[in-house]
Amino acid sequence: MALKQVSSNRCFEGFQKVFEHDSAELKCKMKFGIYLPPKAETAKCPVLYWLSGLTCTEQNFITKAGFHQAAAEHGLIVVAPDTSPRGCNIEGEDESWDFGTGAGFYVDATEEPWKTNYRMYSYIKDELPKLINANFPTDPERMSIFGHSMGGHGALILTLKNPGKYKSVSAFAPICNPIQCQWGKKAFGGYLGSDVSKWEAYDATQLVKSYPNSHLDILIDQGKDDQFLSAGQLLPDNFIAACTEQKIPVVFRLQQ
């Protein structure tokens, strides 16, 4: 699959690049950011996938996170994909900030008119890693995932639905129980239809209840004054309770 380089910038002796490609899964052009540390010039490196939150593009993590120095020092390739398909000309895709463009929710849609393009779950799980492993000096056996808000939800569900695929999972202020919050109800209703039982397949709090073993360490960082925490959009307590019941270790750090 052809990659087109959009930009390349020297950064902490490595390179921050952005590429564009035609996605078979999403039926549109997609961009992703990739940081190649200095070590990537001579050896295969582990890969960390970052999933951003609502309204974001691949630029979000590149420009805001300040991760490059740590990635360079630890020899990590960091991949930051977009958060949804772009330019699919679906009626209503640009009407709201929390559904459609920039709000793929890392699910495979089953409803019209979304199901042809809005397949972010399969894109992140299969298509993107295959593309990365085929074109960059990665160690495919060492792959991990993390994310923020909607992307924290994505990181958690991808890990819980694919035991053993990721070496670690962590999340910043993740949406932990989307079937119980307004963001999740809106997105899942639109992408997955009215049958709430189908939503559970993409809800971390539900998925952890049937996770096959406890060989999983989860790290969550949450700001205590987060407006979306107090608004009941994130619901980490529900997730922690489910993990505790399953004896799955979670490190939950409440930050200022």
Side-chain angles (χ1 to χ4, degrees):
M1 195 181 300
L3 286 180
K4 178 187 171 190
Q5 184 167 289
V6 176
S7 63
S8 177
N9 296 283
R10 196 82 166 145
C11 189
F12 288 100
E13 304 307 312
F15 285 95
Q16 175 62 59
K17 295 174 180 277
V18 174
F19 288 91
E20 185 178 72
H21 71 103
D22 290 310
S23 168
E25 202 66 70
L26 308 177
K27 312 283 191 294
C28 66
K29 284 194 187 308
M30 289 295 283
K31 287 180 183 169
F32 64 85
I34 183 166
Y35 179 67
L36 300 166
K39 190 181 174 187
E41 292 178 23
T42 55
K44 293 195 167 188
C45 297
V47 191
L48 196 48
Y49 286 86
W50 167 267
L51 304 183
S52 281
L54 289 163
T55 75
C56 294
T57 69
E58 84 289 340
Q59 287 296 321
N60 175 57
F61 196 62
I62 297 170
T63 55
K64 294 179 186 173
F67 72 93
H68 296 95
Q69 185 172 4
E73 287 172 3
H74 294 287
L76 288 170
I77 291 173
V78 181
V79 178
D82 204 344
T83 55
S84 78
R86 299 275 165 180
C88 299
N89 299 316
I90 299 171
E91 190 177 343
E93 69 182 342
D94 295 320
E95 281 178 8
S96 57
W97 66 277
D98 54 0
F99 185 78
T101 302
F105 264 86
Y106 305 102
V107 303
D108 284 351
T110 55
E111 298 298 296
E112 296 288 3
W114 311 100
K115 65 181 186 181
T116 302
N117 304 97
Y118 277 70
R119 298 182 52 78
M120 285 300 292
Y121 174 76
S122 289
Y123 176 72
I124 301 295
K125 175 174 150 309
D126 297 318
E127 184 178 7
L128 187 60
K130 279 180 188 162
L131 190 65
I132 299 299
N133 292 338
N135 288 280
F136 302 99
T138 61
D139 177 354
E141 298 302 308
R142 290 190 294 163
M143 173 169 69
S144 291
I145 194 163
F146 64 150
H148 166 242
S149 194
M150 175 184 75
H153 141 78
L156 291 171
I157 63 162
L158 276 143
T159 302
L160 293 167
K161 285 167 79 68
N162 301 282
K165 185 178 180 76
Y166 302 100
K167 294 292 183 194
S168 73
V169 58
S170 49
F172 296 88
I175 301 171
C176 291
N177 195 184
I179 64 174
Q180 298 289 349
C181 77
Q182 288 308 309
W183 278 338
K185 288 173 183 175
K186 179 176 180 177
F188 287 8
Y191 296 137
L192 305 173
S194 57
D195 182 353
V196 178
S197 66
K198 291 180 179 168
W199 300 3
E200 293 181 359
Y202 293 106
D203 184 297
T205 299
Q206 294 298 321
L207 289 167
V208 85
K209 293 174 183 175
S210 56
Y211 191 76
N213 60 53
S214 60
H215 297 303
L216 179 67
D217 287 310
I218 301 168
L219 170 64
I220 293 176
D221 265 24
Q222 173 65 56
K224 72 179 182 63
D225 295 333
D226 186 330
Q227 70 199 75
F228 299 119
L229 178 66
S230 53
Q233 295 279 30
L234 306 179
L235 304 172
D237 292 351
N238 296 0
F239 180 68
I240 292 163
C243 288
T244 303
E245 205 170 288
Q246 293 298 111
K247 297 184 170 58
I248 289 174
V250 181
V251 176
F252 181 74
R253 302 191 300 205
L254 200 61
Q255 309 281 14
Q256 285 290 92

